[in-house]
Amino acid sequence: MANQLHVEVVAVEEKVWSGEAEMLVARTTEGEIGVLPGHSPLLGLLKEPSQVRVKLAGGEQLTYDVAGGFLSIDANGVTVLAESATPATPESH
């Protein structure tokens, strides 16, 4: 089994999602970043507005619309701290 990345998506008022993932993709003010297990420590400012994509084992993906905040990567995983984070709605039905 491949290494997993511990991910927490947190808004000002609540923890939105927490769990194990294969990868996280976010857009910072410096550009888009993909985070895999073992990534170097990093602190990035999230581009506003943007989306955060959490890729789970088995191919499932969770997408959140985020406003403000930052991305913190350390030895324990990655934390997205946003002013608001809500599940993205599909663009087509």
Side-chain angles (χ1 to χ4, degrees), residues 1-5 22 37:
M1 185 172 141
N3 288 340
Q4 294 287 293
L5 176 69
E22 291 186 343

Short mmCIF file of all heavy atoms in Angstrom, two decimals, residues 1-5 22 37:
data_model
loop_
_atom_site.label_atom_id
_atom_site.label_comp_id
_atom_site.label_asym_id
_atom_site.label_seq_id
_atom_site.Cartn_x
_atom_site.Cartn_y
_atom_site.Cartn_z
N MET A 1 0.84 -1.18 0.00
CA MET A 1 0.00 0.00 0.00
C MET A 1 0.89 1.25 0.00
O MET A 1 1.86 1.34 0.73
CB MET A 1 -0.90 0.00 1.24
CG MET A 1 -1.89 1.12 1.27
SD MET A 1 -3.05 0.86 2.64
CE MET A 1 -3.23 2.53 3.19
N ALA A 2 0.54 2.19 -0.80
CA ALA A 2 1.31 3.43 -0.90
C ALA A 2 1.16 4.27 0.36
O ALA A 2 0.19 4.15 1.09
CB ALA A 2 0.85 4.21 -2.12
N ASN A 3 2.15 5.12 0.59
CA ASN A 3 2.06 6.05 1.71
C ASN A 3 0.86 6.95 1.53
O ASN A 3 0.51 7.30 0.42
CB ASN A 3 3.32 6.90 1.80
CG ASN A 3 4.52 6.12 2.29
OD1 ASN A 3 4.38 5.08 2.90
ND2 ASN A 3 5.70 6.63 2.01
N GLN A 4 0.26 7.34 2.64
CA GLN A 4 -0.87 8.24 2.61
C GLN A 4 -0.46 9.58 3.21
O GLN A 4 0.45 9.66 4.02
CB GLN A 4 -2.05 7.65 3.39
CG GLN A 4 -2.63 6.40 2.76
CD GLN A 4 -3.41 6.71 1.50
OE1 GLN A 4 -4.46 7.33 1.54
NE2 GLN A 4 -2.89 6.27 0.36
N LEU A 5 -1.16 10.61 2.81
CA LEU A 5 -0.93 11.98 3.26
C LEU A 5 -2.08 12.35 4.18
O LEU A 5 -3.24 12.19 3.80
CB LEU A 5 -0.92 12.89 2.02
CG LEU A 5 -0.79 14.38 2.22
CD1 LEU A 5 0.61 14.71 2.72
CD2 LEU A 5 -1.04 15.10 0.90
N GLU A 22 -4.13 10.45 -1.09
CA GLU A 22 -2.93 10.19 -1.87
C GLU A 22 -2.23 11.48 -2.27
O GLU A 22 -1.02 11.52 -2.40
CB GLU A 22 -3.29 9.39 -3.13
CG GLU A 22 -3.72 7.98 -2.83
CD GLU A 22 -3.93 7.15 -4.08
OE1 GLU A 22 -4.07 7.73 -5.17
OE2 GLU A 22 -3.96 5.92 -3.95
N PRO A 37 2.79 12.56 -0.11
CA PRO A 37 3.43 12.21 1.16
C PRO A 37 4.94 12.48 1.11
O PRO A 37 5.58 12.24 0.09
CB PRO A 37 3.14 10.72 1.30
CG PRO A 37 1.89 10.51 0.51
CD PRO A 37 1.99 11.46 -0.66
#
